[in-house]
Amino acid sequence: MLKELVNINAVSGRETPMSDFIVKELSGVAEVSKDAVGNIIAHIKGEGKKLLLAAHMDEIGIMVTFIEDTGFLRFTGVGGVSVSSLNYSKVIFPSGRIGIISAPKKSGSDKIEISDMFIDIGVSSKEEASKFVKIGDMAGF
């Protein structure tokens, strides 16, 4: 189950796949409901002391903001993304398409910004990239 959980793409704001998985797993074990903003409330009746478990369903990730003519994707961070750890990171889109984040080399002490970085999804044109990824698509790490 842990392997299934960590492989679910649930970038902040798009947690439905994670929510659906949790509800499915808890059904039959607990009374399960969702509130208006997507929080899951599960109650297991019993005697004795009460225990509250709380956790996030989302993960940090990226969102595509532009597709270059070369097929490279420009992006922004979603959640607490650390720019210093992004270079050469692998991301996966809900479609299953994998990309690698990269940045051009800069001289000396020039700091790399997220706006310098791009994602390579293994295509060579904007038209080809658009078959796999759209502006606004999110990917997790």
Side-chain angles (χ1 to χ4, degrees):
M1 182 189 292
L2 181 59
K3 187 175 181 179
E4 285 182 83
L5 278 169
V6 298
N7 284 316
I8 295 172
N9 192 306
V11 176
S12 298
R14 309 261 170 93
E15 299 98 342
T16 301
M18 180 65 75
S19 172
D20 291 347
F21 177 84
I22 293 168
V23 168
K24 181 184 85 151
E25 290 298 316
L26 290 175
S27 295
V29 176
E31 292 177 11
V32 182
S33 62
K34 283 188 187 182
D35 68 12
V37 292
N39 295 308
I40 298 171
I41 298 95
H43 182 249
I44 301 173
K45 292 182 179 180
E47 300 294 322
K49 293 184 179 184
K50 295 183 181 194
L51 174 67
L52 170 70
L53 300 175
H56 286 268
M57 290 188 288
D58 63 342
E59 62 181 313
I60 62 170
I62 61 90
M63 180 173 62
V64 176
T65 57
F66 185 77
I67 303 174
E68 295 188 358
D69 291 338
T70 60
F72 290 145
L73 311 176
R74 295 296 177 162
F75 63 97
T76 190
V78 178
V81 175
S82 170
V83 176
S84 63
S85 65
L86 286 177
N87 210 12
Y88 305 116
S89 292
K90 179 173 82 171
V91 294
I92 185 162
F93 291 89
S95 66
R97 192 68 181 196
I98 293 173
I100 302 295
I101 296 176
S102 192
K105 296 213 183 284
K106 290 199 165 196
S107 62
S109 63
D110 289 340
K111 185 178 175 183
I112 294 176
E113 304 290 338
I114 201 165
S115 59
D116 299 320
M117 303 180 130
F118 57 87
I119 301 171
D120 185 344
I121 60 168
V123 299
S124 58
S125 71
K126 183 176 188 172
E127 294 75 27
E128 192 177 1
S130 296
K131 294 176 185 174
F132 302 104
V133 178
K134 307 283 183 255
I135 293 173
D137 281 359
M138 294 187 187
F141 295 95

